[in-house]
Amino acid sequence: MMKESTRTALKCLLNISVVVLGCGISCILIVSGLLCDSIPFINEHRLLLVSLAIGLMFIVMIASLIFYVMDMKTLYRLAVCVIVCVVLISVLFFAISYTGFIKNMTSKESLSQFIESSGNYGITVCVFVLLQLLQVVVLPIPSSVTVMAGVMIFGNPWLCSLYSFIGIMVGSVLAFAIGRLLGYRVVCWIVGKEELDKWLEKIKGKDYLILSIMFLLPLFPDDVLCFVAGLSSMTWPYFLIMITVTRALTITLSSLSFDSIPFTTWWGLLCWALIAAAVVLLFWLVIKYSDKIDGFIKNKLGLKLGPRRRGVKNKGRTKREKD
């Protein structure tokens, strides 16, 4: 049987190795990507950007090791999550730099021509779908940003909608499953306790209505909301139907809007301002009358918690209070 001291030493070595390797791999990939022929800004400031990349990754590595040695568990876990996200982003950045993809991102036309002429369309689709999946589960990137990038990449809002829907749906179901099957502690480790508790409090007792509306409105943290849905009383059938409908609507409308409403004209900016105002007004109305609307929906659809689910929820709440 392995001695306790040996297990502790191996655990310490494993944690240190994860931090050092993660930061080292990220640094190598980012620097390699920056050294490739890229957009004018990167080409003109390459030395500065390389120095910043190396310096920031060194700071992240040292901070993570300090958090681990000082037994600051919350900060250490957050640092590890940051490192994992940076590794994934650096892999993506190196891929688009090495293939010459990034230097053709100056306009929608040049990007579309590059994809068609290079024969990398299938790889581009796979990378984009993977990016959409990861932005739900681990990457702190709003879906509206990745959808806008997809419209530029493919030059077709309908194709962008299809590819985005596939990746985002898989990521949403995965995040919900993690929350439902693995529970509060695992989600807390991924998302962060403060962030998770904030959103759990916001949807407390109104998880069906509030979550459904939040998925319809842009700029809300999709990744956190999917995890929160898994921890709520929401059932699997309701989640699958709700996420399918809301994702299809929001992704399609976003793709069509980004393709047809410009940011460079006065009428385009006016349209975006009106859309933002409408979103804020709708959310305010939902919050104001959320109790009545949520109760009405639950009564009409017969959505009631059974004894088993209530027990699980209360047990989870007790654990959170103890933490």
Side-chain angles (χ1 to χ4, degrees):
M1 189 173 181
M2 189 180 294
K3 294 182 179 180
E4 184 66 28
S5 58
T6 304
R7 280 201 298 267
T8 303
L10 289 175
K11 182 180 178 181
C12 179
L13 179 62
L14 177 62
N15 280 276
I16 293 174
S17 300
V18 167
V19 170
V20 174
L21 285 175
C23 291
I25 292 171
S26 298
C27 193
I28 292 172
L29 289 172
I30 292 173
V31 171
S32 299
L34 290 171
L35 293 177
C36 296
D37 186 24
S38 189
I39 58 177
F41 177 80
I42 293 179
N43 293 333
E44 293 172 7
H45 303 88
R46 182 172 284 116
L47 181 60
L48 174 62
L49 293 174
V50 168
S51 302
L52 285 174
I54 295 174
L56 288 174
M57 291 314 303
F58 181 76
I59 292 172
V60 170
M61 182 181 69
I62 296 299
S64 302
L65 294 176
I66 291 174
F67 295 151
Y68 179 72
V69 172
M70 300 295 291
D71 199 27
M72 303 169 72
K73 294 181 180 179
T74 302
L75 291 176
Y76 173 70
R77 289 170 179 171
L78 178 61
V80 171
C81 288
V82 170
I83 291 172
V84 171
C85 291
V86 172
V87 169
L88 295 172
I89 294 172
S90 63
V91 170
L92 181 64
F93 175 71
F94 174 75
I96 63 177
S97 297
Y98 182 77
T99 58
F101 187 87
I102 191 171
K103 68 179 181 180
N104 288 278
M105 292 178 64
T106 52
S107 69
K108 184 168 65 175
E109 291 75 17
S110 62
L111 195 55
S112 299
Q113 290 175 2
F114 170 75
I115 294 174
E116 292 174 0
S117 62
S118 63
N120 292 327
Y121 189 83
I123 297 175
T124 302
V125 172
C126 292
V127 171
F128 181 74
V129 170
L130 179 61
L131 174 63
Q132 292 291 48
L133 188 157
L134 293 176
Q135 68 88 10
V136 177
V137 182
V138 292
L139 298 180
I141 307 173
S143 59
S144 55
V145 174
T146 52
V147 169
M148 180 170 61
V151 172
M152 289 186 60
I153 292 171
F154 301 109
N156 186 319
W158 296 106
L159 285 178
C160 173
S161 299
L162 175 61
Y163 302 145
S164 297
F165 181 77
I166 294 172
I168 290 175
M169 273 298 297
V170 174
S172 300
V173 173
L174 178 61
F176 183 87
I178 291 173
R180 180 54 48 89
L181 301 177
L182 301 182
Y184 175 81
R185 290 185 180 276
V186 174
V187 176
C188 190
W189 188 86
I190 297 173
V191 176
K193 188 178 189 322
E194 184 178 345
E195 183 74 5
L196 178 60
D197 289 343
K198 179 183 74 174
W199 287 105
L200 284 172
E201 185 64 28
K202 285 181 182 294
I203 60 98
K204 185 177 179 180
K206 298 171 287 190
D207 39 8
Y208 282 84
L209 171 70
I210 296 300
L211 279 173
S212 300
I213 295 299
M214 284 180 175
F215 280 114
L216 277 173
L217 300 178
L219 302 181
F220 278 98
D222 298 344
D223 51 348
V224 178
L225 294 181
C226 289
F227 288 116
V228 169
L231 293 173
S232 72
S233 64
M234 186 176 290
T235 62
W236 267 106
Y238 182 90
F239 175 78
L240 291 175
I241 295 172
M242 180 273 294
I243 203 67
T244 300
V245 173
T246 57
R247 292 301 201 189
L249 284 173
T250 55
I251 291 171
T252 303
L253 289 175
S254 297
S255 297
L256 293 173
S257 298
F258 287 129
D259 184 64
S260 57
I261 305 177
F263 289 92
T264 55
T265 62
W266 68 267
W267 65 267
L269 293 175
L270 179 60
C271 287
W272 285 115
L274 292 174
I275 291 172
V279 168
V280 173
L281 177 60
L282 177 60
F283 187 68
W284 178 81
L285 291 173
V286 169
I287 293 296
K288 184 175 179 62
Y289 300 104
S290 58
D291 292 329
K292 294 181 180 179
I293 302 174
D294 191 61
F296 175 79
I297 291 176
K298 287 182 177 179
N299 289 333
K300 288 296 182 182
L301 298 181
L303 299 171
K304 296 181 180 179
L305 294 177
R308 183 183 67 82
R309 186 61 196 160
R310 280 200 298 269
V312 172
K313 188 178 181 182
N314 291 335
K315 184 178 179 181
R317 185 182 300 156
T318 302
K319 285 184 179 181
R320 291 198 295 273
E321 290 172 354
K322 287 182 180 179
D323 292 340

